[in-house]
Amino acid sequence: MLRGKTAVVTGASRGIGKAIALGMAQNGANVAIVYAASESSAHEVLKKAESFGVAARAYQCNVADWNEARSVCEKIAADFGSVDILVNNAGIIKDNLLRRMSEEDFNAVIGVNLSGAFNFTRHLSRFVMRSKAGRIINISSASGIMGNPCQANYSAAKAGMIGLTKTAAKEFSGKNVTCNAIAPGFIDTDMTAALPQAVKERISTTVPLRRMGTAEEVANLAVFLASELSSYITGEVIRVDGGLCM
Ligand code: NAP
């Protein structure tokens, strides 16, 4: 489905990003695996991607850093020769009540989740626009749609990604590039592993499908949005949340 395309996935060493990178590779795309610190996990993802018969490379990069992001994006484009698909997935949380949240924690979460997505979109857009059917996919969150106690930084970043998605969709439409956001609900990854047990138990009553989602269930949508099957969908926010935000 994606044979001959090149996909860049940020935060691809673990969790949802890993599942997306492997989903892209399984469907024939070459993959650039961007990670922050988990070098050995990123290399495991790389080896697994290669086992699907595609080219894969791993790149260490703090997506929040404008200059670092620029040089890595240029290296990726030079290494692969083209970039067709960008998935802005890298994210962190630093939860606290709004009235106790530090400026540092607010800015850190905005920096990785929102500025990171801007940086990669900004630095790779000229390559993605050269693709005949470029795709940008931003991993937002149910928290960006509904808000969530203790997540003022994260909700603001994820809501910001929705605005970024719609603007990119409008600006890049003339080059046949689509830009969509995925809003996952509770997904079983390292990020949610730290949730208090009481919150995890509440998931079975607040989520209509009565369970957490898997990273692969998010990746399935990302692969669809990256493919030709989604050619008339742009500027959309699609929830993968078991009905949470319904
Ligand atoms: P995760 O398991 O904690 O993985 C986070 C990934 O982001 C890792 O690959 C990490 O790299 C990378 N990363 C973190 N900071 C980075 C930075 N500064 N520069 C580059 N990469 C960085 O998280 P996840 O649950 O898979 O979440 C993935 C995305 O989905 C995030 O944007 C998250 O907000 C969103 N999301 C998750 C859920 C959920 O329930 N899990 C729900 C809604 C939305 P290292 O391994 O190198 O640290």
Side-chain angles (χ1 to χ4, degrees):
M1 196 150 61
L2 303 174
R3 182 85 32 211
K5 310 237 181 219
T6 294
V8 178
V9 184
T10 68
S13 47
R14 294 183 284 125
I16 293 171
K18 172 182 174 180
I20 291 174
L22 293 178
M24 298 286 175
Q26 198 166 10
N27 282 279
N30 302 319
V31 284
I33 295 149
V34 180
Y35 67 99
S38 308
E39 190 172 0
S40 60
S41 312
H43 282 272
E44 276 170 33
V45 177
L46 185 154
K47 289 287 162 215
K48 180 90 186 142
E50 283 178 339
S51 74
F52 295 119
V54 302
R57 282 176 180 247
Y59 301 84
Q60 196 277 328
C61 175
N62 173 12
V63 297
D65 185 304
W66 166 268
N67 289 322
E68 222 177 283
R70 181 171 53 192
S71 66
V72 165
C73 288
E74 280 168 9
K75 179 145 187 29
I76 292 170
D79 288 347
F80 287 90
S82 59
V83 176
D84 306 279
I85 301 155
L86 165 63
V87 184
N88 287 307
N89 166 81
I92 57 167
I93 48 172
K94 286 185 184 288
D95 293 358
N96 209 339
L97 287 170
L98 179 49
R99 65 193 158 85
R100 293 197 194 131
M101 188 172 285
S102 67
E103 181 188 19
E104 191 186 17
D105 283 358
F106 184 84
N107 289 335
V109 170
I110 296 285
V112 175
N113 293 276
L114 182 56
S115 303
F118 167 71
N119 291 342
F120 265 66
T121 304
R122 172 71 175 77
H123 297 314
L124 285 177
S125 57
R126 69 193 163 100
F127 302 106
V128 177
M129 281 195 280
R130 277 182 217 148
S131 171
K132 285 197 177 69
R135 298 282 189 268
I136 299 172
I137 300 162
N138 292 326
I139 309 301
S140 176
S141 169
S143 186
I145 296 175
M146 296 200 299
N148 204 21
C150 295
Q151 291 197 321
N153 47 7
Y154 186 75
S155 301
K158 294 304 190 184
M161 286 181 89
I162 293 174
L164 180 68
T165 299
K166 293 182 179 182
T167 296
K170 287 183 177 174
E171 287 195 13
F172 301 151
S173 57
K175 296 286 183 190
N176 202 35
V177 174
T178 68
C179 184
N180 293 289
I182 297 177
F186 291 106
I187 308 298
D188 190 7
T189 67
D190 293 346
M191 187 176 274
T192 46
L195 283 176
Q197 193 52 34
V199 176
K200 286 189 185 163
E201 278 162 18
R202 237 181 295 133
I203 290 170
S204 60
T205 53
T206 52
V207 178
L209 285 180
R210 291 165 191 243
R211 63 171 176 88
M212 293 180 101
T214 66
E216 288 70 27
E217 287 173 313
V218 180
N220 290 341
L221 176 58
V223 169
F224 167 75
L225 288 173
S227 78
E228 201 43 41
L229 294 175
S230 68
S231 50
Y232 204 54
I233 302 173
T234 196
E236 191 56 86
V237 182
I238 304 179
R239 297 181 291 109
V240 181
D241 67 355
L244 177 69
C245 294
M246 198 162 32

